[in-house]
């Protein structure tokens, strides 16, 4: 007969199996079984009861000891008898790892500045602006350097030239080097378009070959080369230069812009006020951008030519200043001489008047 589920579950225990077996033997008239102890609870490891609030009780006990009124008095007496330095406040620990625990491949290296600058960075360096620059000069310089990619930029300040250059008074000249003839023409064309769209100006590019003009000249060159090849001659680079196909120099005249005037001296302002004529004096300054290839720039040497002109103008200005100083010194000397002569004449006249007065008094006394 199959056992019921609760009985089978109870027989799973070994002690229960023994108890059931002894009960069955006793029931059928066998030997009396000794009393069997049922399940005994395991002996506990510790007889002390668990205190779940033990940590809280310890914290409360420490707080009571710290808040005791006698603690302040004891601390004050101890400080007076044994003074101790003030404890330094500890900085809160940061989450970032210290220098000792950072691996070598994560350590930040100090930048090493190379004393020798590369030639490319030296060529792309932008020059410093002159004193009292017009507002357009800085964005123009950045556009020519960054957007157009011109190298070896330099600014010639020709505002102090007297008489002024043929390109206009108060002239500022920007010189840059193109990397090729194609780069030269593309940069000049883009510069003119940028000035027209951004500042509504009308620049003039002398030496710039337009697209249609270049196509026309190339067509003429091809026709001429076919005729020369039929005869047996060949075209050279000199003929290309004569025809105007290859140009290594483009002068972009930006025109008159606002600002950029140098402060005038008293003599110059007085001269402008005394000037008589038609119209009015125009203000502002002129800007010209000279774009050349490297060979053309080395051949012409614009910087040296204008440096000589500036040196001559400075010498001429120094001579004029010395002459005016000498003339002013002569005028002061003449004025001093004239004042001295007038003083002596006045002194002589005073002496004569005194003699006449004394003669009158003596004659009056004799008459009496």
């Amino acid at each position: 007969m199959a056992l019921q589920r609760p009985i089978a579950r109870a027989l799973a225990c070994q002690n229960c199996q023994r108890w059931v077996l002894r009960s069955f033997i006793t029931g059928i008239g066998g030997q009396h079984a000794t009393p069997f102890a049922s399940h005994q609870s395991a002996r506990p490891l510790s007889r002390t009861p668990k205190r779940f609030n033990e940590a809280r009780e310890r914290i409360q006990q420490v707080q009571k000891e710290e808040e005791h009124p006698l603690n302040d008095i004891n601390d004050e007496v101890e400080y007076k008898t044994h003074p101790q330095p003030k404890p330094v406040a500890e900085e809160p620990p940061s989450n970032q790892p210290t220098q000792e625990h950072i691996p070598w491949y994560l350590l930040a290296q100090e930048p090493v500045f190379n004393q020798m600058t590369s030639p490319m960075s030296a060529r792309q360096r932008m020059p410093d602006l002159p004193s009292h620059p017009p507002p357009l000069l800085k964005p123009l310089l950045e556009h020519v350097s960054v957007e157009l990619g011109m190298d070896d930029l330099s600014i010639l300040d020709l505002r102090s030239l007297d008489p002024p250059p043929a390109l206009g008074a108060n002239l500022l000249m920007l010189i840059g080097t193109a990397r090729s003839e194609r780069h030269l023409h593309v940069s000049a064309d883009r510069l003119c378009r940028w000035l027209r769209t951004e500042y509504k100006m009308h620049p003039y590019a002398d030496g710039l070959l337009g697209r249609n003009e270049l196509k026309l000249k190339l067509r003429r060159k091809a026709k001429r080369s076919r005729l020369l090849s039929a005869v047996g001659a060949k075209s050279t680079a000199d003929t290309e230069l004569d025809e105007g196909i290859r140009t290594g120099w483009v002068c972009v005249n930006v025109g008159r812009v606002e600002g950029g005037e140098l402060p005038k001296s008293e003599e110059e302002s007085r001269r402008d006020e005394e000037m008589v004529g038609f119209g009015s004096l125009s203000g502002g300054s002129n800007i010209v951008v000279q774009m050349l290839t490297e060979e053309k720039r080395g051949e012409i040497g614009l910087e040296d030519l204008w440096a000589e002109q500036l040196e001559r103008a400075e010498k001429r200005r120094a001579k004029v200043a010395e002459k005016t100083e000498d003339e002013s010194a002569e005028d002061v000397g003449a004025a001093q001489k004239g004042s001295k002569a007038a003083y002596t004449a006045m002194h002589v006249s005073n002496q004569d008047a005194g003699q006449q007065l004394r003669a009158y008094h003596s004659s009056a006394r004799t008459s009496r």
Side-chain angles (χ1 to χ4, degrees), residues 34 56 65 73 91 114 118 127 131 153 157 164 176 181 189 198 207 226 228 245 296 307:
T34 57
R56 187 184 299 174
E65 292 178 358
I73 300 172
E91 296 182 356
N114 191 6
S118 62
S131 60
L153 295 176
D157 190 359
E181 292 186 3
D189 184 55
E198 295 293 333
R226 285 197 301 270
L228 291 174
I245 296 175
K296 200 71 173 179

Side-chain angles (χ1 to χ4, degrees), residues 136-155:
L136 180 62
L137 185 59
K138 185 176 181 180
L140 177 63
L141 182 62
E142 292 178 354
H143 183 78
V144 171
S145 176
V146 179
E147 300 295 334
L148 303 182
M150 288 287 167
D151 298 333
D152 296 330
L153 295 176
S154 63
I155 297 177

Side-chain angles (χ1 to χ4, degrees), residues 67-81:
E67 295 175 359
H68 200 276
L70 294 178
N71 289 339
D72 299 335
I73 300 172
N74 296 335
D75 293 342
E76 186 176 357
V77 173
E78 187 177 357
Y79 180 77
K80 287 181 179 179
T81 53

Side-chain angles (χ1 to χ4, degrees), residues 256-287:
R256 199 79 175 174
V257 297
E258 296 181 358
E261 296 180 353
L262 292 175
K264 296 182 179 180
S265 60
E266 296 180 359
E267 183 68 20
E268 292 176 350
S269 59
R270 183 180 59 80
R271 192 190 309 167
D272 293 341
E273 291 177 358
E274 294 176 357
M275 188 178 295
V276 178
F278 295 99
S280 60
L281 294 174
S282 60
S285 58
N286 291 305
I287 298 178

Side-chain angles (χ1 to χ4, degrees), residues 158-171 306:
L158 307 178
R159 293 176 292 180
S160 59
L161 283 180
D162 192 14
L167 293 172
N170 293 332
L171 182 64
W306 286 113

